[in-house]
Coordinates of all heavy atoms in Angstrom, one line a residue:
M1 N -37.2 129.3 -30.8 CA -36.9 128.1 -31.4 C -37.2 128.1 -32.9 O -38.3 128.6 -33.2 CB -37.7 126.9 -30.7 CG -37.4 126.8 -29.2 SD -35.8 126.3 -28.9 CE -35.7 126.7 -27.2
S2 N -36.4 127.5 -33.6 CA -36.5 127.6 -35.1 C -36.0 126.4 -35.8 O -35.4 125.5 -35.1 CB -35.8 128.9 -35.5 OG -36.0 129.1 -36.9
R3 N -36.2 126.4 -37.1 CA -35.5 125.4 -37.9 C -35.0 126.1 -39.2 O -35.7 127.0 -39.7 CB -36.6 124.3 -38.4 CG -36.9 123.3 -37.4 CD -37.6 122.1 -38.0 NE -37.3 121.0 -37.3 CZ -38.2 120.4 -36.4 NH1 -39.3 121.0 -36.2 NH2 -37.8 119.3 -35.7
E4 N -33.9 125.7 -39.7 CA -33.3 126.3 -40.8 C -34.2 126.2 -42.1 O -34.4 127.2 -42.8 CB -31.9 125.8 -41.1 CG -31.2 126.5 -42.3 CD -31.1 128.0 -42.1 OE1 -30.8 128.4 -40.9 OE2 -31.2 128.7 -43.1
W5 N -34.9 125.1 -42.3 CA -35.7 124.9 -43.5 C -37.1 125.3 -43.3 O -37.9 125.1 -44.3 CB -35.6 123.4 -43.8 CG -36.0 122.5 -42.7 CD1 -35.1 121.9 -41.8 CD2 -37.3 122.1 -42.3 NE1 -35.8 121.1 -40.9 CE2 -37.1 121.2 -41.2 CE3 -38.6 122.3 -42.7 CZ2 -38.2 120.6 -40.5 CZ3 -39.6 121.8 -42.1 CH2 -39.5 120.9 -41.0
C6 N -37.5 125.9 -42.2 CA -38.9 126.2 -41.9 C -39.3 127.7 -42.4 O -38.7 128.6 -41.8 CB -39.1 126.1 -40.4 SG -40.7 126.7 -39.8
H7 N -40.1 127.8 -43.4 CA -40.5 129.1 -43.9 C -41.2 129.9 -42.8 O -41.1 131.2 -42.8 CB -41.3 129.0 -45.2 CG -42.7 128.6 -45.0 ND1 -43.7 129.5 -44.8 CD2 -43.2 127.4 -45.1 CE1 -44.8 128.8 -44.7 NE2 -44.6 127.5 -44.8
L8 N -42.1 129.3 -42.0 CA -42.8 130.0 -40.9 C -41.7 130.6 -39.9 O -41.9 131.7 -39.4 CB -43.7 129.1 -40.2 CG -45.1 128.8 -40.9 CD1 -45.9 127.9 -40.1 CD2 -45.8 130.1 -41.2
C9 N -40.7 129.8 -39.7 CA -39.6 130.3 -38.8 C -39.0 131.5 -39.3 O -38.7 132.5 -38.6 CB -38.6 129.2 -38.6 SG -39.3 127.7 -37.8
H10 N -38.6 131.5 -40.6 CA -38.0 132.7 -41.2 C -38.9 133.9 -41.2 O -38.5 135.0 -41.0 CB -37.6 132.3 -42.7 CG -36.5 131.3 -42.7 ND1 -35.1 131.7 -42.5 CD2 -36.5 130.0 -42.9 CE1 -34.4 130.6 -42.6 NE2 -35.2 129.6 -42.9
D11 N -40.2 133.6 -41.5 CA -41.2 134.7 -41.5 C -41.3 135.4 -40.2 O -41.3 136.6 -40.0 CB -42.6 134.2 -42.0 CG -42.6 133.8 -43.5 OD1 -41.6 134.1 -44.2 OD2 -43.6 133.2 -43.8
L12 N -41.5 134.5 -39.1 CA -41.6 135.0 -37.8 C -40.3 135.8 -37.4 O -40.5 136.9 -36.8 CB -41.9 133.9 -36.8 CG -42.3 134.4 -35.4 CD1 -43.3 133.4 -34.8 CD2 -41.1 134.5 -34.5
L13 N -39.2 135.3 -37.7 CA -37.9 136.0 -37.3 C -37.8 137.3 -38.0 O -37.4 138.3 -37.4 CB -36.7 135.1 -37.6 CG -35.4 135.6 -37.1 CD1 -35.4 135.8 -35.6 CD2 -34.3 134.6 -37.5
D14 N -38.2 137.4 -39.3 CA -38.2 138.7 -40.0 C -39.1 139.7 -39.4 O -38.8 140.9 -39.4 CB -38.6 138.4 -41.5 CG -37.5 137.7 -42.3 OD1 -36.4 137.6 -41.8 OD2 -37.9 137.2 -43.4
E15 N -40.3 139.3 -38.9 CA -41.2 140.2 -38.2 C -40.7 140.6 -36.8 O -40.9 141.7 -36.3 CB -42.6 139.5 -38.1 CG -43.3 139.4 -39.4 CD -44.6 138.7 -39.2 OE1 -45.3 139.1 -38.3 OE2 -44.9 137.8 -40.0
L16 N -40.0 139.6 -36.2 CA -39.6 139.8 -34.8 C -38.4 140.8 -34.7 O -38.2 141.5 -33.7 CB -39.3 138.5 -34.1 CG -38.9 138.5 -32.7 CD1 -40.0 139.1 -31.8 CD2 -38.5 137.1 -32.2
R17 N -37.5 140.8 -35.7 CA -36.3 141.6 -35.6 C -36.5 143.1 -35.3 O -35.9 143.6 -34.4 CB -35.4 141.4 -36.9 CG -34.6 140.1 -36.8 CD -33.7 140.0 -38.0 NE -32.9 138.8 -38.0 CZ -33.0 137.8 -38.8 NH1 -33.9 137.9 -39.8 NH2 -32.3 136.7 -38.7
P18 N -37.4 143.7 -36.1 CA -37.6 145.1 -35.8 C -38.3 145.4 -34.4 O -37.9 146.4 -33.8 CB -38.6 145.6 -36.9 CG -38.7 144.5 -37.9 CD -38.1 143.3 -37.3
L19 N -39.1 144.5 -34.0 CA -39.7 144.6 -32.7 C -38.6 144.5 -31.6 O -38.6 145.2 -30.6 CB -40.8 143.6 -32.5 CG -41.6 143.6 -31.2 CD1 -42.3 145.0 -31.0 CD2 -42.6 142.5 -31.1
A20 N -37.7 143.5 -31.8 CA -36.7 143.3 -30.8 C -35.8 144.5 -30.8 O -35.4 145.0 -29.7 CB -35.9 142.1 -31.2
T21 N -35.5 145.1 -31.9 CA -34.7 146.3 -31.9 C -35.4 147.5 -31.2 O -34.8 148.2 -30.3 CB -34.4 146.8 -33.4 OG1 -33.6 145.7 -34.0 CG2 -33.6 148.1 -33.4
E22 N -36.6 147.6 -31.4 CA -37.4 148.7 -30.8 C -37.4 148.5 -29.2 O -37.3 149.4 -28.5 CB -38.9 148.6 -31.3 CG -39.8 149.5 -30.5 CD -41.3 149.2 -30.9 OE1 -41.5 148.8 -32.1 OE2 -42.1 149.3 -30.0
L23 N -37.5 147.2 -28.8 CA -37.6 146.9 -27.4 C -36.3 146.8 -26.7 O -36.2 146.6 -25.5 CB -38.5 145.7 -27.2 CG -39.9 145.8 -27.6 CD1 -40.6 144.4 -27.6 CD2 -40.7 146.8 -26.8
G24 N -35.2 146.8 -27.5 CA -33.9 146.6 -26.9 C -33.5 145.2 -26.6 O -32.6 144.9 -25.8
W25 N -34.2 144.3 -27.2 CA -33.9 142.8 -27.0 C -32.7 142.4 -27.9 O -32.5 142.9 -29.0 CB -35.1 142.0 -27.5 CG -36.2 141.9 -26.5 CD1 -36.5 142.7 -25.4 CD2 -37.2 140.9 -26.5 NE1 -37.6 142.2 -24.8 CE2 -38.0 141.1 -25.4 CE3 -37.4 139.8 -27.3 CZ2 -39.1 140.3 -25.1 CZ3 -38.5 139.0 -27.0 CH2 -39.3 139.2 -25.9
T26 N -32.1 141.4 -27.4 CA -31.1 140.6 -28.2 C -31.7 139.3 -28.6 O -32.2 138.6 -27.6 CB -29.8 140.4 -27.5 OG1 -29.2 141.7 -27.2 CG2 -28.8 139.6 -28.3
L27 N -31.8 139.0 -29.8 CA -32.5 137.7 -30.2 C -31.4 136.6 -30.2 O -30.3 136.8 -30.6 CB -33.0 137.8 -31.6 CG -34.2 138.8 -31.8 CD1 -34.6 138.7 -33.3 CD2 -35.3 138.4 -30.9
R28 N -31.8 135.5 -29.7 CA -31.0 134.3 -29.7 C -31.9 133.2 -30.4 O -32.9 132.8 -29.9 CB -30.6 133.8 -28.3 CG -29.7 132.7 -28.3 CD -29.2 132.5 -26.9 NE -29.2 131.1 -26.6 CZ -29.4 130.5 -25.4 NH1 -29.7 131.3 -24.4 NH2 -29.3 129.2 -25.3
V29 N -31.4 132.8 -31.6 CA -32.2 131.8 -32.4 C -31.6 130.4 -32.1 O -30.4 130.2 -32.4 CB -32.2 132.1 -33.9 CG1 -33.0 131.1 -34.7 CG2 -32.8 133.5 -34.1
L30 N -32.4 129.5 -31.7 CA -31.9 128.1 -31.4 C -32.5 127.2 -32.5 O -33.8 127.2 -32.6 CB -32.3 127.6 -30.0 CG -31.7 128.4 -28.9 CD1 -32.2 127.9 -27.6 CD2 -30.2 128.4 -28.9
D31 N -31.7 126.5 -33.2 CA -32.2 125.5 -34.2 C -32.5 124.2 -33.5 O -31.5 123.5 -33.0 CB -31.1 125.3 -35.3 CG -31.6 124.4 -36.4 OD1 -32.6 123.7 -36.3 OD2 -30.9 124.4 -37.5
V32 N -33.7 123.8 -33.4 CA -34.1 122.6 -32.7 C -33.5 121.4 -33.3 O -33.2 120.4 -32.6 CB -35.6 122.4 -32.6 CG1 -36.3 123.5 -31.8 CG2 -36.3 122.3 -33.9
D33 N -33.1 121.4 -34.6 CA -32.5 120.2 -35.2 C -31.1 120.0 -34.8 O -30.5 119.0 -35.1 CB -32.7 120.3 -36.7 CG -34.1 120.3 -37.2 OD1 -34.9 119.5 -36.6 OD2 -34.5 121.0 -38.1
A34 N -30.5 121.0 -34.2 CA -29.1 121.0 -33.8 C -28.9 120.3 -32.4 O -27.8 120.1 -32.0 CB -28.4 122.3 -33.8
D35 N -30.0 120.1 -31.7 CA -29.9 119.6 -30.3 C -31.0 118.6 -30.1 O -32.2 118.9 -30.2 CB -30.1 120.8 -29.4 CG -30.0 120.4 -27.9 OD1 -30.5 119.3 -27.5 OD2 -29.4 121.2 -27.2
P36 N -30.7 117.3 -29.9 CA -31.7 116.3 -29.7 C -32.7 116.6 -28.6 O -33.9 116.2 -28.8 CB -30.9 115.0 -29.4 CG -29.6 115.3 -29.9 CD -29.3 116.8 -29.8
E37 N -32.3 117.2 -27.5 CA -33.3 117.5 -26.5 C -34.3 118.6 -26.9 O -35.4 118.5 -26.6 CB -32.5 118.0 -25.2 CG -31.8 116.9 -24.5 CD -31.0 117.4 -23.3 OE1 -31.5 118.3 -22.6 OE2 -30.0 116.8 -22.9
L38 N -33.7 119.6 -27.6 CA -34.7 120.6 -28.1 C -35.6 120.1 -29.2 O -36.8 120.4 -29.2 CB -33.9 121.8 -28.8 CG -33.1 122.7 -27.8 CD1 -32.3 123.7 -28.6 CD2 -33.9 123.3 -26.7
E39 N -35.1 119.2 -30.0 CA -36.0 118.6 -31.0 C -37.0 117.7 -30.4 O -38.2 117.8 -30.8 CB -35.1 117.7 -32.0 CG -36.0 117.2 -33.1 CD -35.2 116.4 -34.2 OE1 -34.1 116.0 -33.9 OE2 -35.7 116.3 -35.3
A40 N -36.7 117.0 -29.3 CA -37.7 116.1 -28.7 C -38.7 117.0 -28.0 O -39.9 116.6 -28.0 CB -37.0 115.3 -27.6
R41 N -38.3 118.1 -27.4 CA -39.3 119.0 -26.7 C -40.1 119.8 -27.7 O -41.3 120.0 -27.5 CB -38.5 119.9 -25.8 CG -39.3 121.1 -25.2 CD -40.5 120.6 -24.3 NE -41.2 121.8 -23.7 CZ -42.3 122.3 -24.2 NH1 -42.8 121.8 -25.3 NH2 -42.8 123.3 -23.6
W42 N -39.5 120.4 -28.7 CA -40.2 121.4 -29.5 C -40.7 120.9 -30.9 O -41.6 121.5 -31.5 CB -39.3 122.7 -29.7 CG -39.1 123.3 -28.4 CD1 -38.0 123.3 -27.6 CD2 -40.1 124.1 -27.7 NE1 -38.2 124.0 -26.5 CE2 -39.4 124.5 -26.5 CE3 -41.3 124.6 -28.0 CZ2 -40.1 125.3 -25.6 CZ3 -42.0 125.4 -27.0 CH2 -41.3 125.7 -25.8
N43 N -40.0 119.9 -31.4 CA -40.3 119.3 -32.7 C -41.2 120.1 -33.6 O -40.7 121.0 -34.3 CB -40.9 117.9 -32.5 CG -40.8 117.0 -33.8 OD1 -40.0 117.4 -34.7 ND2 -41.6 116.0 -33.8
E44 N -42.5 119.8 -33.7 CA -43.4 120.5 -34.6 C -44.0 121.8 -34.1 O -44.9 122.4 -34.7 CB -44.5 119.5 -35.1 CG -44.0 118.3 -35.8 CD -43.3 118.7 -37.1 OE1 -43.8 119.6 -37.9 OE2 -42.3 118.1 -37.4
L45 N -43.5 122.2 -32.9 CA -44.1 123.4 -32.2 C -43.3 124.6 -32.6 O -43.6 125.7 -32.0 CB -44.0 123.2 -30.7 CG -44.8 122.0 -30.2 CD1 -44.6 121.9 -28.7 CD2 -46.3 122.1 -30.6
V46 N -42.4 124.6 -33.6 CA -41.7 125.7 -34.0 C -42.3 126.4 -35.2 O -43.0 125.7 -36.0 CB -40.2 125.4 -34.3 CG1 -39.5 124.9 -33.1 CG2 -40.1 124.4 -35.5
P47 N -42.2 127.6 -35.4 CA -41.4 128.6 -34.6 C -42.1 128.9 -33.3 O -43.4 129.0 -33.3 CB -41.2 129.8 -35.5 CG -42.4 129.8 -36.3 CD -42.8 128.3 -36.6
V48 N -41.3 129.2 -32.3 CA -41.9 129.6 -31.0 C -41.0 130.7 -30.5 O -39.7 130.6 -30.6 CB -42.0 128.4 -30.0 CG1 -40.7 127.8 -29.7 CG2 -42.8 128.9 -28.8
V49 N -41.6 131.7 -29.9 CA -40.8 132.8 -29.2 C -40.9 132.6 -27.7 O -42.0 132.6 -27.2 CB -41.3 134.2 -29.7 CG1 -40.6 135.3 -28.9 CG2 -41.2 134.4 -31.2
L50 N -39.8 132.6 -27.1 CA -39.7 132.5 -25.6 C -39.1 133.7 -25.0 O -38.2 134.3 -25.6 CB -38.9 131.2 -25.2 CG -39.3 129.9 -25.8 CD1 -38.3 128.8 -25.4 CD2 -40.7 129.5 -25.2
G51 N -39.6 134.1 -23.9 CA -39.0 135.1 -23.1 C -38.6 134.4 -21.8 O -39.4 134.1 -21.0
G52 N -37.3 133.9 -21.7 CA -36.9 133.0 -20.7 C -37.6 131.7 -20.9 O -37.5 131.1 -21.9
D53 N -38.4 131.3 -19.9 CA -39.1 130.0 -19.9 C -40.6 130.2 -20.3 O -41.3 129.3 -20.4 CB -39.1 129.3 -18.6 CG -37.7 128.8 -18.3 OD1 -36.9 128.5 -19.2 OD2 -37.4 128.6 -17.1
T54 N -40.9 131.5 -20.6 CA -42.3 131.8 -20.9 C -42.5 131.8 -22.4 O -41.8 132.5 -23.2 CB -42.7 133.2 -20.4 OG1 -42.4 133.3 -19.0 CG2 -44.1 133.6 -20.7
E55 N -43.5 131.0 -22.9 CA -43.8 131.0 -24.3 C -44.7 132.2 -24.6 O -45.7 132.4 -24.0 CB -44.6 129.7 -24.7 CG -44.9 129.6 -26.1 CD -45.6 128.3 -26.5 OE1 -45.2 127.3 -26.0 OE2 -46.4 128.4 -27.4
L56 N -44.2 133.1 -25.5 CA -44.9 134.3 -25.9 C -45.8 134.1 -27.1 O -46.8 134.7 -27.2 CB -43.9 135.4 -26.1 CG -42.9 135.7 -25.0 CD1 -42.0 136.8 -25.4 CD2 -43.7 136.0 -23.7
C57 N -45.3 133.3 -28.1 CA -46.1 133.1 -29.2 C -45.6 131.9 -30.0 O -44.4 131.6 -29.9 CB -46.3 134.3 -30.1 SG -44.8 135.1 -30.7
R58 N -46.4 131.3 -30.8 CA -46.0 130.1 -31.6 C -46.6 130.3 -33.0 O -47.7 130.7 -33.2 CB -46.6 128.9 -30.9 CG -46.1 127.6 -31.6 CD -46.8 126.4 -31.0 NE -46.5 126.3 -29.6 CZ -47.2 125.5 -28.8 NH1 -48.1 124.7 -29.2 NH2 -46.9 125.5 -27.5
Y59 N -45.8 129.9 -34.0 CA -46.2 129.9 -35.4 C -46.2 131.3 -36.0 O -45.7 131.5 -37.1 CB -47.5 129.1 -35.7 CG -47.5 127.7 -35.1 CD1 -48.6 127.3 -34.4 CD2 -46.4 126.8 -35.4 CE1 -48.6 126.0 -33.9 CE2 -46.5 125.6 -34.9 CZ -47.5 125.1 -34.1 OH -47.5 123.9 -33.6
R60 N -46.9 132.2 -35.4 CA -47.0 133.6 -35.9 C -46.6 134.5 -34.8 O -46.9 134.3 -33.6 CB -48.4 133.9 -36.4 CG -49.0 133.0 -37.5 CD -48.5 133.4 -38.8 NE -49.0 132.5 -39.8 CZ -48.5 132.3 -41.0 NH1 -47.3 132.8 -41.2 NH2 -49.0 131.5 -41.9
L61 N -46.1 135.7 -35.2 CA -45.7 136.7 -34.2 C -47.0 137.3 -33.6 O -47.9 137.7 -34.3 CB -44.9 137.8 -34.8 CG -44.5 138.9 -33.9 CD1 -43.6 138.4 -32.7 CD2 -43.7 140.0 -34.6
D62 N -47.0 137.3 -32.3 CA -48.1 138.0 -31.5 C -47.4 139.2 -30.8 O -46.9 139.1 -29.7 CB -48.7 137.1 -30.5 CG -49.8 137.7 -29.7 OD1 -49.9 139.0 -29.7 OD2 -50.6 137.0 -29.1
A63 N -47.3 140.3 -31.6 CA -46.6 141.5 -31.1 C -47.2 142.0 -29.8 O -46.4 142.4 -28.9 CB -46.6 142.6 -32.1
A64 N -48.5 141.9 -29.6 CA -49.1 142.3 -28.4 C -48.6 141.5 -27.2 O -48.4 142.0 -26.1 CB -50.6 142.3 -28.5
A65 N -48.5 140.2 -27.4 CA -48.0 139.3 -26.3 C -46.6 139.6 -25.9 O -46.2 139.6 -24.8 CB -48.2 137.8 -26.7
V66 N -45.8 139.9 -27.0 CA -44.4 140.2 -26.7 C -44.3 141.5 -26.0 O -43.5 141.7 -25.0 CB -43.6 140.3 -28.1 CG1 -42.2 140.8 -27.8 CG2 -43.5 138.9 -28.7
R67 N -45.0 142.5 -26.4 CA -45.0 143.8 -25.7 C -45.5 143.7 -24.3 O -45.0 144.3 -23.4 CB -45.9 144.8 -26.5 CG -45.3 145.3 -27.8 CD -46.2 146.3 -28.5 NE -45.8 146.5 -29.8 CZ -44.7 147.3 -30.2 NH1 -44.0 147.9 -29.2 NH2 -44.4 147.4 -31.4
A68 N -46.6 142.9 -24.1 CA -47.1 142.7 -22.7 C -46.0 142.1 -21.8 O -45.9 142.5 -20.6 CB -48.3 141.9 -22.7
Y69 N -45.3 141.1 -22.3 CA -44.2 140.5 -21.6 C -43.2 141.5 -21.2 O -42.7 141.5 -20.1 CB -43.6 139.3 -22.4 CG -42.5 138.7 -21.7 CD1 -42.6 137.7 -20.7 CD2 -41.2 139.0 -22.1 CE1 -41.5 137.1 -20.1 CE2 -40.1 138.4 -21.5 CZ -40.3 137.4 -20.5 OH -39.2 136.9 -19.9
C70 N -42.8 142.3 -22.2 CA -41.7 143.3 -22.0 C -42.1 144.4 -20.9 O -41.3 144.9 -20.2 CB -41.4 144.0 -23.3 SG -40.5 142.9 -24.4
R71 N -43.4 144.7 -20.9 CA -43.9 145.7 -19.9 C -43.7 145.2 -18.4 O -43.7 146.0 -17.5 CB -45.4 146.0 -20.1 CG -45.6 147.0 -21.3 CD -47.0 147.6 -21.3 NE -48.0 146.6 -21.5 CZ -48.4 146.2 -22.7 NH1 -47.9 146.8 -23.8 NH2 -49.4 145.3 -22.9
R72 N -43.5 143.9 -18.2 CA -43.2 143.4 -16.9 C -41.9 143.8 -16.3 O -41.6 143.6 -15.2 CB -43.3 141.9 -16.9 CG -44.7 141.4 -17.3 CD -44.8 139.9 -17.5 NE -43.9 139.1 -16.6 CZ -43.5 137.9 -16.8 NH1 -44.0 137.2 -17.9 NH2 -42.7 137.3 -16.0
F73 N -41.0 144.3 -17.2 CA -39.6 144.6 -16.8 C -39.4 146.1 -17.0 O -39.6 146.7 -18.1 CB -38.6 143.8 -17.7 CG -38.9 142.4 -17.6 CD1 -39.6 141.7 -18.6 CD2 -38.4 141.6 -16.5 CE1 -39.8 140.4 -18.6 CE2 -38.7 140.2 -16.5 CZ -39.4 139.6 -17.5
P74 N -38.9 146.8 -15.9 CA -38.7 148.2 -16.1 C -37.5 148.5 -17.0 O -36.5 147.7 -17.1 CB -38.3 148.7 -14.6 CG -37.9 147.4 -14.0 CD -38.6 146.3 -14.6
L75 N -37.6 149.5 -17.7 CA -36.5 150.0 -18.6 C -35.4 150.6 -17.8 O -35.7 151.4 -16.8 CB -37.0 151.0 -19.7 CG -38.0 150.5 -20.7 CD1 -38.4 151.6 -21.6 CD2 -37.3 149.4 -21.6
E76 N -34.2 150.3 -18.1 CA -33.1 150.9 -17.4 C -32.8 152.2 -18.1 O -32.7 152.3 -19.3 CB -31.8 150.0 -17.5 CG -32.0 148.7 -16.7 CD -30.8 147.8 -16.8 OE1 -29.7 148.4 -17.1 OE2 -30.9 146.6 -16.5
S77 N -32.6 153.2 -17.3 CA -32.3 154.5 -17.9 C -30.8 154.8 -17.9 O -30.2 154.3 -17.0 CB -33.1 155.7 -17.2 OG -32.9 155.6 -15.8
A78 N -30.4 155.4 -18.9 CA -28.9 155.8 -18.9 C -28.6 156.8 -17.9 O -29.4 157.7 -17.6 CB -28.6 156.3 -20.3
P79 N -27.4 156.7 -17.3 CA -27.0 157.7 -16.3 C -26.8 159.1 -16.9 O -26.5 159.3 -18.0 CB -25.7 157.2 -15.8 CG -25.2 156.1 -16.7 CD -26.4 155.7 -17.5

């Protein structure tokens, strides 16, 4: 969850991109200001990184938490 005008959001996303590439993730950035339900739920709690419904970190990237979450899922090997 992010906001276009939020510098912390931009900083976290810049740090998260290389980690996502390393882990094989596809990032989906949702702008809370574009959806009244998201804004009501997340408002001042952005930036926040979610893995599904699990909050992995908020405000600053916690790479260890993201890696720990990813370890819960086996890597698919190529045939």
Side-chain angles (χ1 to χ4, degrees):
M1 301 292 164
S2 185
R3 285 196 148 99
E4 184 55 39
W5 52 265
C6 170
H7 74 89
L8 285 177
C9 297
H10 292 280
D11 292 348
L12 189 145
L13 189 56
D14 288 345
E15 292 179 43
L16 184 59
R17 279 188 180 111
L19 183 58
T21 298
E22 172 191 325
L23 297 171
W25 277 22
T26 299
L27 295 179
R28 185 171 139 213
V29 179
L30 299 176
D31 185 344
V32 297
D33 295 322
D35 182 321
E37 288 182 30
L38 292 178
E39 185 176 19
R41 166 64 177 97
W42 296 102
N43 196 19
E44 297 299 317
L45 300 177
V46 297
V48 63
V49 176
L50 302 174
D53 292 331
T54 303
E55 182 176 322
L56 304 180
C57 53
R58 183 184 306 167
Y59 306 131
R60 302 279 183 207
L61 178 62
D62 183 343
V66 172
R67 288 178 191 285
Y69 176 80
C70 289
R71 281 193 295 270
R72 296 174 31 198
F73 306 98
L75 293 175
E76 293 182 19
S77 51

